[in-house]
Amino acid sequence: MKNVETEDKTIIVNLLQTISSSGNVSYSFKIFPTIIYLTVVTIGKLELTLLDRLYLTSERVKSIYIDLLSKSIVIKIKKIKAQDRITIKKRILCNNSDVKEAASKFIKEHAIIRSEDDRLLVAIVTLFFKWTWQSVACDISIKREGDNYICLISNLLGISYKQLQSLESLGNWVHNITFDFENKSVLTFNVSRTETINDNTTSYKRVKYS
């Protein structure tokens, strides 16, 4: 790290200490005029909670990308002396109605899914279809165990921390978001099934106020 400023070096060290808390990792970094890309490999399992901690390490951590092909995490760090520049990103166009229709069709093909849970699971599948619409399609497997659905996403090239936040923001029904780099680099998460209302639930009467 000879060419790295002390402040930038501190962030890199803090990130590596956070990642290596559960085991040894290997890393490399590339230095550009305004950005440092820190790449970390040799990771067994990766949970969303760890990504949360990495993102909170510093406001100069601009993005985190999970590369499932190389089984690595790429962290984009803004250098201490970098000037802010306005960049225009090319928008990836996809027809929302087509994506949702494809997701709905996918869910209907799974007989194990209750109709009450269709809307939530369609929303989840829609996200992955959008993220891979103009790329290699990922494989989505949904299994049901008791009151939970277990979702397994394979053949996924990569995913960003921001996208994982979108998945989690669907509600606390989505939990246990985990990457397993040792098992074909798959993403797994659980979805809690919508609870039914018990017919024996005590009914409540309206109280009249005079």
Side-chain angles (χ1 to χ4, degrees):
M1 296 189 187
K2 293 181 180 179
N3 300 323
V4 181
E5 298 285 342
T6 301
E7 293 86 348
D8 297 332
K9 190 183 298 183
T10 300
I11 293 177
I12 293 174
V13 170
N14 289 338
L15 288 168
L16 291 174
Q17 287 178 340
T18 302
I19 297 173
S20 62
S21 59
S22 57
N24 295 328
V25 295
S26 300
Y27 71 93
S28 63
F29 57 89
K30 293 182 179 180
I31 304 174
F32 294 92
T34 60
I35 293 294
I36 298 174
Y37 287 97
L38 174 65
T39 301
V40 184
V41 294
T42 321
I43 303 169
K45 286 192 176 182
L46 175 66
E47 296 183 356
L48 181 58
T49 52
L50 174 59
L51 296 177
D52 290 334
R53 296 203 303 272
L54 293 175
Y55 191 76
L56 293 174
T57 299
S58 170
E59 73 280 355
R60 288 197 285 117
V61 173
K62 293 303 177 183
S63 66
I64 303 173
Y65 183 78
I66 299 90
D67 189 327
L68 290 156
L69 286 179
S70 62
K71 301 181 180 181
S72 63
I73 305 174
V74 181
I75 304 173
K76 181 180 178 181
I77 305 166
K78 179 183 175 183
K79 295 174 71 174
I80 185 67
K81 295 183 178 180
Q83 298 292 327
D84 290 327
R85 293 191 303 174
I86 298 175
T87 57
I88 300 175
K89 295 183 178 180
K90 183 179 179 181
R91 293 186 63 187
I92 299 177
L93 300 176
C94 75
N95 190 305
N96 289 331
S97 61
D98 289 345
V99 175
K100 190 169 182 180
E101 182 180 349
S104 299
K105 182 179 178 181
F106 176 85
I107 292 300
K108 287 179 180 178
E109 293 174 353
H110 286 68
I112 62 168
I113 297 174
R114 300 190 319 163
S115 59
E116 294 92 332
D117 305 322
D118 280 358
R119 184 175 294 180
L120 174 58
L121 289 166
V122 165
I124 291 171
V125 173
T126 298
L127 286 179
F128 286 97
F129 279 11
K130 279 185 177 180
W131 296 335
T132 60
W133 195 249
Q134 293 185 344
S135 180
V136 178
C138 62
D139 296 323
I140 303 175
S141 171
I142 301 176
K143 298 179 181 179
R144 181 173 160 185
E145 289 187 2
D147 291 338
N148 292 304
Y149 295 103
I150 300 174
C151 299
L152 188 149
I153 316 296
S154 57
N155 198 37
L156 187 65
L157 299 181
I159 191 169
S160 69
Y161 173 66
K162 186 176 181 180
Q163 288 171 328
L164 290 173
Q165 285 182 309
S166 298
L167 174 62
E168 189 183 41
S169 69
L170 291 176
N172 55 9
W173 303 286
V174 182
H175 52 94
N176 293 342
I177 300 175
T178 306
F179 291 91
D180 189 349
F181 291 113
E182 296 175 346
N183 183 21
K184 299 182 180 180
S185 299
V186 299
L187 165 63
T188 61
F189 55 90
N190 292 352
V191 179
S192 297
R193 177 173 91 173
T194 306
E195 293 182 357
T196 56
I197 298 176
N198 191 330
D199 292 336
N200 296 324
T201 301
T202 304
S203 59
Y204 294 91
K205 297 179 180 180
R206 290 185 179 181
V207 178
K208 292 184 178 181
Y209 295 92
S210 55

